[in-house]
Amino acid sequence: MSNYILPLLTTLTRQVKANFVNKTHQTEAVQERFLLTLLRRYQNTELGRKWGLREIRTIDQFRDRVPVLPYSSYEPYTERIFQGESNILTPDPVVYLNLTSGSTGSKKLIPVTKRFQNSLRGANLTSMGFLVDALKTRQRQFGKLLITNSVQLLGRTPGGVKYGPASVGILRMGKFLYQQLFAHPFETLQPGNSLARHYVCLLFALRDRTMRGMIANFPMLLLRTASYLETYAEDLIRDLDKGTIANWLDLESGIRSQLEHQWSAYPERARELRDILNQEGRLTPKRVWSDLSFVATARGGTSDFYFQRFPDYFEDTPVFGAVYSSAEATFSIYPDVDTDGSVLAIESGFFEFVPQDQWDAEHPKTLLATEVKVGEHYRLLTTNYSGFYRYDIGDVIEVVGFYNKTPLIVFRYRRGGTMSATTEKTTEHHVTQVMQALQQEFDVPLEDFCLTLSESIITPHYLVNIELAPGQRLDNPQLFLTRFDHQLQQANTSYAVKRTDNYIPAPRLRILAPGSFAILRQRQLERGVPDSQLKFPHISNDRQFLAGLKVLEEVKLPGDSDE
């Protein structure tokens, strides 16, 4: 990175962060100002006229007049925007359309304007400011980083607007900034083939022994990048030594030519890596970048399960959550590394919280940011410059504290993302907690897991489908299953009651063949889910979700039979 750009950037982000921290003392006023400013600017859009935004003067009037709605209510409007109509949801021109991955539901189109993008960029700069300060207190430094996200667009609308994953839009619209931050050329993000893109990103980043960070949307994707570094160590070292780019890579000819023009031999660095490989038997991120200061990825929800495998690759490197966000909104900003609680992004949207006793109400009563209670779970609603109002994304969060007068929240699970043999509503948060505990109790890392239901419609039992990490074995699978049943009863009281009353039969454990979850991820890719957006479900009501995978062993509890 140019010598003058990094200090300027870190100074800017720390100033933005300091400004945000000051506003966390004035949460109520900041939220009200955000909402009323947005309503004035959006009052003459088609939806703004329909709901009479011009007449709204208070938060209470807003909650009385505007309904709580899911994406399906906005879909007719976003489809019209896709066809080229303007002033539908936003008064500003739509410059990009975020297309969600569809990995955990149907795909959605989210309009992006410059105003919307700027509000989210402010949250990202704030998070960088928090990261810079957090690293400084730990005698670590912020610096260049590795990212492997694709920047390929999915297409253009009939109206000529570009569309694709949210991360593609962010990277393309912020290209100047990001190409200063990356330890590899921006062009390395262009290959369409996932393996080829990861390989060239790693290859160029390996030149820089002082690289400081790695970023991926989800922890599983960081583990995959680390796995590629380990698997293709010999090829990477050879290319560094010879100044080549492996000819077996599936690279588009134009992109290969661009990259070869920027590439040359680094024999000294190749020798360093060869020595590490000979001494350690493999290459890992922390060994090849000894100054690695942080990894940034999603925290909360199903992400926590994967963190137990991080020390094997990243050792004691701090994990930073950056921002909790989706294609529709940025919800919160992480104030420190190695923490799950994140500060509500009070400058990026207007937020309401639906308490649990209102989840089934047609017109739920909501709480504001200053009214929530620590330890309670809420559905999170957002109003922001995408043109969505009181939008119910379906996320369930837990309030874990306050940062000054602003709530600290943790994403727990997606509402509707539950599994029931009867009515017990087991969530991904429940099963993630259980599997984390079992990995520790049995000292056996898992490659991944997913709970499904057996074929029986009347009395289905849980199928605990696991794949052991490479080289691992489970010595007592029946005890593992017994402990799973016990731990899930501890985590989910409703499951415990129904198991005790025999409404739910005993669960069964299925140990899947190595590579099973790689096959499942490949199936998602073939469905069109971008590889950088993969979110693997840990529970599924689809009884065919794991169809065709080889089961090495099925384990039952004593007394369990097929009768």
Side-chain angles (χ1 to χ4, degrees):
M1 183 179 296
S2 302
N3 289 336
Y4 67 92
I5 293 180
L6 181 57
L8 285 176
L9 180 62
T10 54
T11 298
L12 170 64
T13 59
R14 295 178 75 184
Q15 289 174 345
V16 173
K17 171 232 169 178
N19 183 55
F20 174 80
V21 169
N22 287 335
K23 290 183 178 180
T24 60
H25 293 278
Q26 312 157 44
T27 299
E28 188 174 348
V30 171
Q31 282 281 276
E32 182 179 36
R33 184 163 59 248
F34 181 96
L35 176 64
L36 298 181
T37 300
L38 184 150
L39 297 182
R40 285 195 298 272
R41 287 172 174 165
Y42 280 42
Q43 62 187 5
N44 292 320
T45 62
E46 180 171 323
L47 202 57
R49 293 192 299 270
K50 175 182 177 180
W51 284 335
L53 300 187
R54 181 187 296 273
E55 289 78 36
I56 295 177
R57 296 288 183 269
T58 67
I59 291 175
D60 285 341
Q61 287 178 347
F62 174 70
R63 292 193 285 188
D64 287 341
R65 295 192 184 189
V66 179
V68 174
L69 295 174
Y71 176 77
S72 58
S73 299
Y74 289 93
E75 193 166 16
Y77 298 101
T78 60
E79 285 295 332
R80 290 170 59 191
I81 294 171
F82 186 86
Q83 295 301 324
E85 293 189 49
S86 59
N87 201 39
I88 304 298
L89 295 178
T90 67
D92 306 321
V94 174
V95 297
Y96 187 78
L97 281 163
N98 287 340
L99 181 65
T100 65
S101 66
S103 60
T104 58
S106 59
K107 294 186 177 183
K108 308 171 190 173
L109 284 168
I110 314 299
V112 176
T113 65
K114 288 185 178 179
R115 195 187 307 273
F116 177 61
Q117 193 67 28
N118 287 340
S119 70
L120 304 188
R121 185 177 293 118
N124 288 332
L125 290 174
T126 301
S127 76
M128 288 174 63
F130 276 117
L131 175 60
V132 168
D133 284 344
L135 294 177
K136 186 176 181 181
T137 62
R138 291 164 175 79
Q139 288 77 52
R140 296 173 182 260
Q141 293 183 21
F142 181 77
K144 284 192 175 182
L145 52 89
L146 169 68
I147 188 171
T148 60
N149 288 42
S150 171
V151 293
Q152 282 201 346
L153 293 170
L154 295 181
R156 290 178 181 267
T157 70
V161 177
K162 300 172 182 176
Y163 68 89
S167 59
V168 172
I170 290 170
L171 289 170
R172 291 175 70 97
M173 286 185 272
K175 179 178 179 180
F176 174 77
L177 170 64
Y178 293 119
Q179 65 187 359
Q180 314 303 320
L181 284 172
F182 297 159
H184 44 94
F186 197 82
E187 290 76 14
T188 56
L189 303 179
Q190 292 179 342
N193 180 271
S194 177
L195 172 57
R197 186 174 64 255
H198 281 79
Y199 186 97
V200 294
C201 287
L202 282 166
L203 181 61
F204 277 83
L206 283 170
R207 298 175 304 178
D208 184 358
R209 62 175 60 87
T210 64
M211 193 185 81
R212 299 289 182 175
M214 294 178 65
I215 295 181
N217 292 355
F218 304 107
M220 179 181 72
L221 303 180
L222 278 174
L223 291 173
R224 181 180 62 179
T225 301
S227 176
Y228 283 151
L229 175 62
E230 184 175 7
T231 302
Y232 298 102
E234 291 283 359
D235 299 83
L236 290 163
I237 292 172
R238 186 182 306 112
D239 282 345
L240 277 163
D241 187 40
K242 305 298 183 183
T244 54
I245 297 178
N247 57 17
W248 53 265
L249 289 176
D250 182 11
L251 283 171
E252 299 88 334
S253 59
I255 295 175
R256 178 179 284 275
S257 178
Q258 280 184 309
L259 295 176
E260 288 178 341
H261 184 69
Q262 300 179 64
W263 184 241
S264 59
Y266 294 85
E268 183 180 345
R269 179 63 168 153
R271 284 194 295 273
E272 289 179 9
L273 297 177
R274 172 66 64 190
D275 289 342
I276 294 172
L277 183 59
N278 290 337
Q279 293 169 11
E280 306 287 338
R282 61 178 185 151
L283 297 185
T284 62
K286 187 61 176 178
R287 294 301 177 184
V288 302
W289 294 292
S290 58
D291 292 327
L292 194 68
S293 296
F294 69 95
V295 292
T297 191
R299 299 186 66 98
T302 62
S303 298
D304 295 347
F305 166 76
Y306 299 99
F307 289 143
Q308 288 179 282
R309 293 181 57 198
F310 268 40
D312 186 42
Y313 289 110
F314 305 108
E315 300 178 25
D316 62 348
T317 305
V319 180
F320 183 57
V323 294
Y324 158 34
S325 65
S326 68
E328 297 96 325
T330 291
F331 301 104
S332 59
I333 301 166
Y334 282 81
D336 205 346
V337 297
D338 293 332
T339 185
D340 286 334
S342 51
V343 188
L344 192 69
I346 54 177
E347 296 181 291
S348 301
F350 175 75
F351 299 100
E352 298 172 69
F353 299 78
V354 183
Q356 285 183 273
D357 62 4
Q358 294 290 310
W359 284 4
D360 295 322
E362 183 178 356
H363 302 291
K365 296 179 181 179
T366 62
L367 301 176
L368 302 182
T370 53
E371 299 172 332
V372 296
K373 296 181 180 178
V374 175
E376 295 293 321
H377 288 73
Y378 302 91
R379 264 173 38 214
L380 189 57
L381 310 181
T382 182
T383 299
N384 61 30
Y385 286 114
S386 68
F388 291 4
Y389 307 88
R390 311 193 77 198
Y391 174 63
D392 186 358
I393 192 174
D395 282 7
V396 174
I397 60 92
E398 180 183 355
V399 176
V400 294
F402 278 83
Y403 188 96
N404 297 323
K405 295 184 178 180
T406 303
L408 287 164
I409 64 175
V410 178
F411 168 71
R412 289 307 186 197
Y413 61 93
R414 178 67 57 88
R415 189 168 187 248
T418 62
M419 188 175 78
S420 297
T422 56
T423 58
E424 71 279 9
K425 294 184 179 179
T426 294
T427 69
E428 288 199 304
H429 181 52
H430 290 142
V431 299
T432 299
Q433 286 179 293
V434 170
M435 299 309 279
Q436 282 179 271
L438 292 179
Q439 282 188 115
Q440 292 180 338
E441 182 177 341
F442 287 83
D443 191 25
V444 57
L446 303 181
E447 180 68 23
D448 223 319
F449 75 94
C450 182
L451 268 65
T452 55
L453 294 172
S454 64
E455 293 292 335
S456 172
I457 301 299
I458 299 174
T459 56
H461 51 253
Y462 281 34
L463 296 174
V464 185
N465 306 281
I466 67 171
E467 179 186 337
L468 299 173
Q472 299 295 318
R473 57 176 292 174
L474 184 58
D475 292 327
N476 194 335
Q478 192 173 84
L479 179 59
F480 184 94
L481 180 59
T482 300
R483 294 295 297 152
F484 168 85
D485 193 30
H486 174 77
Q487 293 273 17
L488 187 56
Q489 291 184 47
Q490 296 294 308
N492 183 2
T493 304
S494 181
Y495 174 84
V497 170
K498 293 172 177 62
R499 276 286 290 125
T500 302
D501 294 341
N502 292 320
Y503 286 111
I504 303 176
R508 296 181 183 179
L509 176 67
R510 285 182 172 176
I511 302 175
L512 303 180
S516 293
F517 284 88
I519 293 172
L520 286 177
R521 293 180 191 113
Q522 185 59 37
R523 290 177 184 173
Q524 286 184 295
L525 294 175
E526 291 170 356
R527 284 177 44 224
V529 178
D531 74 314
S532 59
Q533 304 292 325
L534 281 176
K535 289 180 285 189
F536 192 80
H538 285 156
I539 56 174
S540 177
N541 290 297
D542 179 1
R543 287 170 163 83
Q544 298 303 310
F545 186 60
L546 304 177
L549 299 182
K550 182 178 180 181
V551 178
L552 298 179
E553 183 180 3
E554 180 165 321
V555 181
K556 303 176 184 179
L557 293 178
D560 182 12
S561 70
D562 293 318
E563 297 180 358

